[in-house]
Amino acid sequence: MHIIIKNTDRTPIYQQIYQQIKQQILNGTLQQDMALPSIRNLAQSLKISIITTKRAYEELERDGFVYTIAGKGCFVAKRNIEMLREDVLRQIEEHMQEIAVLASSCKLSKEDVWEMFCTIYEEES
Amino acid sequence: MKWLLWRDFTLFKKRGLGGAALYIAMILIYAVITVSFYGVTNSNGESLHDMQTGALTCFGGVNLSTISLVIISFQFDEKDKVKDTLLSMPVSINNYVLEKYIFFYTLLLPLFILGFVSSALGIYSVESISFYTIGIALIPLLYIPISFILDSEKAYLIIIFLSLAIGYLFTQYIYNLIISNALIWIILFSAVTICLAFLSYKASVKYCTKK
Amino acid sequence: MNVLKCQNVCKSYKNFSMENVSFELPMGYVMGFIGENGAGKSTMIKMMLDLVRPSSGKIEVFEKDSIKNSKEIKEEIGVILDTVGFPSMFNTKDINNMMKRAYKNWNESTYWDYIKQFQLPEKKKYKEFSMGMKKKLAIAAALSHNPKLLILDEVTAGLDPIVRDEILDIFREFVSDGQHSIFISSHIISDLEKICDYVTFLHKGKLIFSMEKESLFDTYCMIRCAEEDVEAIPKSAICGIHKSGYGAEVLVKRKDVPFGFDSEPANIEEIMLFLTKHNIGEKI
């Protein structure tokens, strides 16, 4: 398992951990039922506070990527298509939000954006 | 509380010439002076027994130096700012304060013993030694609370001034007035000292952490 | 279990008063204690140790009363005050001898391991130690009686970054089993930001907040914009503002900022500064 924390990154540290673990679950680096390091050990290794690590794990659990067995620790949950799809949808939504902000800052209309998107979509496929 | 005593005595020993070594030398000098007065008479054939006033003043000087040495221990602690560190270790404030008294009186103990030895040898009268013992016993009772309320430096100056003043007044004026009824006065002074001990301890505990 | 619990603690001096300070630290976590000089941090720490008595209110350590059970509490805490005071004549050996008499659980081998790790001389007297060596010795002494809680006042001040990193690692290891906790005050906010789980902020004797570090970052964020653009930010969101003449920095409450503002995370130092020096609105 790899986790690289960038202090220059604007995203909060807990989110960086969340995303990197999630990524590794989705791409199969972390297999189902594999044990994740304990919250306190991970915090110690990454030189970050316990509560930050705890939050990353809590969000991973909330979103169904990991499950916790009391007294034993945290394990990678079963990957399911629905989960993958939902995650991708959420990512698309996030990007779209950014597009919306950027578009309005240079007064680009909905139609202009749509046109741009169509061109890119056709090129990609 | 034992560890505090261990600490104070170890430091006292470690200071060598500024501590235990000088202290032992003083006690020896004191012992030699006491013994050498044994049987000595002046030109009129009077034994020193009759010249207590002068002799006691001489002893006062030695004792004051001895007491100074004890007080230096307190001043070192103040300079090192150890109080808060020690109080954050396992000891109650009461015991912390009590230890100061025990340390002080332990070092004064040889003075008391020598005083009684010299009176037993007949060098001094029991009365004058009793007054003198009470006088020394009063010093820690005054010094310790003052050192907590003000600081050890000021307490030291106050104590020196007070002991000289009281010593002088006592030997010059009061001693002759009360010597005829000595026993009553000794009992009275002892009672006052015990009351003072209680008040002194209470005040020390109260002001120990106030500053 | 809360290892530390302060309830409505008040203390008044001639020129200073602390009012109704309440917070708690659960077992297994690190709490950072911040505030400007004279905010009352050292007074608060001294009250926890019963070196100063509160005028009113209650402090519990390990769920025991800090005044009544002072001695048994002190067996289980390691303390480093900002004025580290060991007798100047003592060397590391003498301090070991004193400590083993003072603490029931004193572990000599732990102590000597730290002395070795910190490369402290065995024969030198304490007064000949450098500032860094003094702090390291205090840490060795504070950790060698198996304390459950460390109370540290400005422990990393005056130390170089390498030593600070080394010390923070020791503290992380200390809390890693979930049974040990740390209460640490410091002006070096970056150190606290790295290690603490909770942040308690005292300003002029008043508690500004005491909360999880993560929820602190959730609550506040920074907006950097042109001065005239500040108008567009809802008044209710603004906590503190600093105008440089060329632009403005604004500390805002994240939840009250409408969508579309370009905000960035605020660090603890910014939050501290903007809630006090650049504070507007809320009276602090």
Side-chain angles (χ1 to χ4, degrees):
Chain A
M1 192 171 105
H2 304 280
I3 295 174
I4 293 138
I5 288 175
K6 291 181 186 156
N7 284 328
T8 47
D9 207 322
R10 266 195 184 196
T11 33
I13 292 169
Y14 82 90
Q15 230 161 12
Q16 294 185 35
I17 299 171
Y18 170 88
Q19 255 146 20
Q20 291 179 42
I21 294 181
K22 189 181 78 181
Q23 211 61 51
Q24 289 170 66
I25 291 172
L26 292 179
N27 70 22
T29 317
L30 296 174
Q31 299 277 323
Q32 188 186 330
D33 297 328
M34 238 170 87
L36 291 179
S38 82
I39 291 173
R40 284 173 188 274
N41 282 343
L42 186 64
Q44 199 188 340
S45 313
L46 294 176
K47 301 197 174 205
I48 55 171
S49 55
I50 297 153
I51 221 118
T52 306
T53 326
K54 200 174 153 199
R55 180 155 183 195
Y57 274 37
E58 275 167 6
E59 308 238 317
L60 281 166
E61 190 175 7
R62 189 196 63 197
D63 296 346
F65 294 101
V66 301
Y67 62 93
T68 313
I69 300 176
K72 284 201 172 163
C74 224
F75 301 88
V76 178
K78 197 178 162 197
R79 262 197 302 169
N80 63 45
I81 308 290
E82 196 56 34
M83 204 167 81
L84 265 168
R85 204 182 125 79
E86 253 178 48
D87 183 61
V88 173
L89 276 176
R90 193 178 306 130
Q91 282 187 40
I92 292 174
E93 211 177 286
E94 274 172 28
H95 287 303
M96 280 181 166
Q97 270 176 356
E98 270 175 55
I99 292 171
V101 173
L102 289 172
S104 74
S105 73
C106 64
K107 300 201 168 69
L108 219 59
S109 73
K110 238 185 341 199
E111 288 72 26
D112 294 335
V113 176
W114 176 241
E115 213 168 281
M116 273 167 78
F117 175 73
C118 290
T119 324
I120 292 166
Y121 196 79
E122 272 154 31
E123 274 171 18
E124 285 285 319
S125 52
Chain B
M1 189 174 61
K2 262 188 248 159
W3 63 274
L4 283 171
L5 281 169
W6 176 88
R7 186 195 75 97
D8 270 332
F9 281 107
T10 307
L11 281 170
F12 194 58
K13 206 172 76 193
K14 269 186 182 280
R15 270 199 296 280
L17 265 179
L22 188 58
Y23 172 79
I24 290 165
M26 294 257 214
I27 297 295
L28 286 177
I29 291 169
Y30 180 51
V32 169
I33 292 173
T34 307
V35 174
S36 63
F37 276 115
Y38 182 60
V40 175
T41 53
N42 67 5
S43 52
N44 299 328
E46 298 166 321
S47 84
L48 272 166
H49 186 89
D50 304 315
M51 307 171 27
Q52 292 126 347
T53 313
L56 278 174
T57 313
C58 155
F59 286 128
V62 179
N63 293 333
L64 215 54
S65 324
T66 316
I67 287 159
S68 309
L69 219 45
V70 183
I71 289 176
I72 287 172
S73 286
F74 293 110
Q75 287 178 340
F76 264 93
D77 275 354
E78 200 157 285
K79 219 173 68 197
D80 292 348
K81 294 180 181 152
V82 293
K83 196 173 104 181
D84 283 350
T85 306
L86 297 178
L87 278 172
S88 65
M89 288 166 67
V91 66
S92 64
I93 288 173
N94 289 358
N95 281 349
Y96 177 83
V97 168
L98 193 60
E99 188 268 347
K100 299 265 174 243
Y101 288 91
I102 295 176
F103 176 64
F104 210 144
Y105 280 115
T106 309
L107 290 175
L108 292 182
L109 200 61
L111 299 183
F112 296 143
I113 292 170
L114 279 164
F116 285 112
V117 168
S118 58
S119 77
L121 288 173
I123 298 170
Y124 302 112
S125 65
V126 178
E127 290 83 6
S128 55
I129 283 299
S130 301
F131 287 128
Y132 151 87
T133 305
I134 291 169
I136 294 180
L138 277 172
I139 289 172
L141 299 185
L142 293 171
Y143 175 78
I144 294 171
I146 297 175
S147 75
F148 282 129
I149 295 166
L150 300 169
D151 58 59
S152 56
E153 202 82 26
K154 289 193 190 97
Y156 181 52
L157 293 173
I158 292 171
I159 288 302
I160 290 199
F161 176 76
L162 275 183
S163 1
L164 288 174
I166 295 172
Y168 180 77
L169 290 175
F170 187 81
T171 47
Q172 293 300 309
Y173 304 106
I174 302 168
Y175 187 79
N176 292 326
L177 288 178
I178 62 177
I179 193 65
S180 48
N181 284 321
L183 190 64
I184 294 166
W185 286 102
I186 288 166
I187 292 168
L188 192 69
F189 283 160
S190 303
V192 168
T193 307
I194 289 164
C195 292
L196 258 175
F198 182 74
L199 288 176
S200 163
Y201 174 71
K202 284 279 161 206
S204 295
V205 169
K206 188 175 173 198
Y207 285 98
C208 174
T209 57
K210 271 280 164 69
K211 218 167 29 175
Chain C
M1 183 182 113
N2 285 322
V3 288
L4 208 53
K5 188 177 183 185
C6 296
Q7 283 173 291
N8 302 317
V9 175
C10 302
K11 176 78 193 171
S12 43
Y13 289 115
K14 232 180 278 163
N15 304 315
F16 171 80
S17 73
M18 187 181 283
E19 287 162 37
N20 281 317
V21 176
S22 302
F23 61 85
E24 44 203 57
L25 168 63
M27 183 169 80
Y29 292 98
V30 182
M31 179 176 275
F33 193 36
I34 58 173
E36 75 283 358
N37 289 330
K41 297 195 303 290
S42 290
T43 306
M44 190 69 227
I45 286 174
K46 283 183 179 173
M47 285 196 278
M48 290 171 183
L49 301 169
D50 192 29
L51 300 182
V52 170
R53 294 263 160 97
S55 316
S56 68
K58 199 176 169 193
I59 300 172
E60 283 180 13
V61 185
F62 309 125
E63 297 180 337
K64 291 174 203 154
D65 187 274
S66 69
I67 295 171
K68 271 186 232 144
N69 303 297
S70 151
K71 197 183 162 192
E72 56 177 298
I73 287 171
K74 284 171 189 170
E75 286 277 2
E76 300 198 312
I77 54 177
V79 182
I80 303 175
L81 299 169
D82 56 347
T83 50
V84 184
F86 285 118
S88 57
M89 304 284 290
F90 272 3
N91 58 28
T92 50
K93 223 174 180 171
D94 299 319
I95 287 168
N96 176 52
N97 283 333
M98 174 171 83
M99 293 299 188
K100 76 177 180 201
R101 286 170 170 83
Y103 289 100
K104 282 187 202 130
N105 293 328
W106 183 254
N107 189 328
E108 287 192 52
S109 63
T110 311
Y111 175 77
W112 290 118
D113 286 346
Y114 279 122
I115 297 293
K116 213 177 273 172
Q117 187 188 337
F118 292 147
Q119 297 175 317
L120 294 172
E122 280 183 36
K123 296 223 170 94
K124 245 186 191 176
K125 283 176 189 161
Y126 181 72
K127 66 175 168 196
E128 293 157 355
F129 275 29
S130 70
M131 173 79 168
M133 286 156 87
K134 284 180 180 176
K135 287 271 158 115
K136 284 175 172 178
L137 178 62
I139 291 165
L143 283 167
S144 301
H145 57 280
N146 190 22
K148 290 196 187 121
L149 168 68
L150 292 181
I151 295 180
L152 311 168
D153 197 1
E154 290 299 338
V155 73
T156 52
L159 298 178
D160 66 62
I162 298 159
V163 175
R164 266 161 45 206
D165 187 63
E166 195 182 344
I167 288 169
L168 291 183
D169 274 344
I170 290 172
F171 292 161
R172 279 191 199 96
E173 199 190 322
F174 180 77
V175 292
S176 67
D177 68 353
Q179 305 295 312
H180 297 82
S181 327
I182 299 179
F183 184 80
I184 177 170
S185 95
S186 181
H187 287 307
I188 307 175
I189 311 282
S190 60
D191 283 349
L192 291 184
E193 197 150 343
K194 280 183 214 158
I195 196 173
C196 67
D197 301 303
Y198 292 84
V199 185
T200 297
F201 180 17
L202 210 59
H203 175 60
K204 292 183 182 165
K206 288 198 184 77
L207 184 76
I208 307 298
F209 58 72
S210 178
M211 59 166 120
E212 275 184 26
K213 184 175 69 182
E214 288 296 331
S215 33
L216 184 66
F217 292 150
D218 279 351
T219 310
Y220 298 104
C221 62
M222 293 292 294
I223 294 177
R224 287 172 228 276
C225 59
E227 283 184 21
E228 51 273 22
D229 294 343
V230 173
E231 301 296 317
I233 306 169
K235 281 259 169 343
S236 63
I238 302 176
C239 301
I241 189 162
H242 174 64
K243 291 179 181 173
S244 67
Y246 298 97
E249 292 178 298
V250 191
L251 182 79
V252 291
K253 279 199 175 128
R254 207 183 277 271
K255 69 172 171 52
D256 295 337
V257 177
F259 178 74
F261 277 94
D262 185 20
S263 66
E264 46 188 306
N267 60 36
I268 297 177
E269 202 160 339
E270 284 167 337
I271 295 171
M272 189 177 158
L273 201 64
F274 279 78
L275 283 182
T276 54
K277 196 176 158 201
H278 304 315
N279 173 258
I280 57 158
E282 277 174 86
K283 272 193 186 144
I284 286 174

